[in-house]
Amino acid sequence: TACARVRPFFPSLSSINKDILQLPGVFEIHEQHFWQLVDGLVIASMHLKVDNTIAWSRVRASITETLHKHGVHNMTLQPELSR
């Protein structure tokens, strides 16, 4: 029997960070964790220092869209409001 090993999909963390840090209202990312439970299911959790003068719902929507573009569809985002 032949067994083929396929490298599981995992997004580029540096590319994700670069894209998120370019979003309006995002100052910093820390306590960032990514893991994969099964093929194709990448999960993220991160703390973000964000501008308190911009609605968190708008910032969160931008971050979520960015993560989706990188193949991350399950996430927990913890905002830390700052100026």
Side-chain angles (χ1 to χ4, degrees):
T1 21
C3 179
R5 289 194 174 261
V6 178
R7 183 173 183 253
F9 164 77
F10 206 79
S12 163
L13 300 184
S14 61
S15 181
I16 289 172
N17 288 344
K18 178 180 162 272
D19 290 351
I20 290 175
L21 288 170
Q22 290 178 354
L23 297 173
V26 179
F27 299 135
E28 180 184 312
I29 303 169
H30 57 279
E31 291 296 323
Q32 181 181 33
H33 306 280
F34 289 82
W35 62 98
Q36 187 171 17
L37 294 178
V38 295
D39 284 345
L41 178 59
V42 178
I43 299 170
S45 126
M46 61 181 70
H47 290 218
L48 304 110
K49 192 175 284 187
V50 296
D51 188 340
N52 67 356
T53 64
I54 301 176
W56 167 240
S57 59
R58 287 180 50 206
V59 176
R60 183 186 65 227
S62 296
I63 295 167
T64 299
E65 181 180 330
T66 300
L67 287 169
H68 282 284
K69 287 179 184 175
H70 285 278
V72 180
H73 300 289
N74 293 284
M75 68 217 58
T76 300
L77 306 172
Q78 177 65 46
E80 296 175 6
L81 304 179
S82 183
R83 280 191 159 198

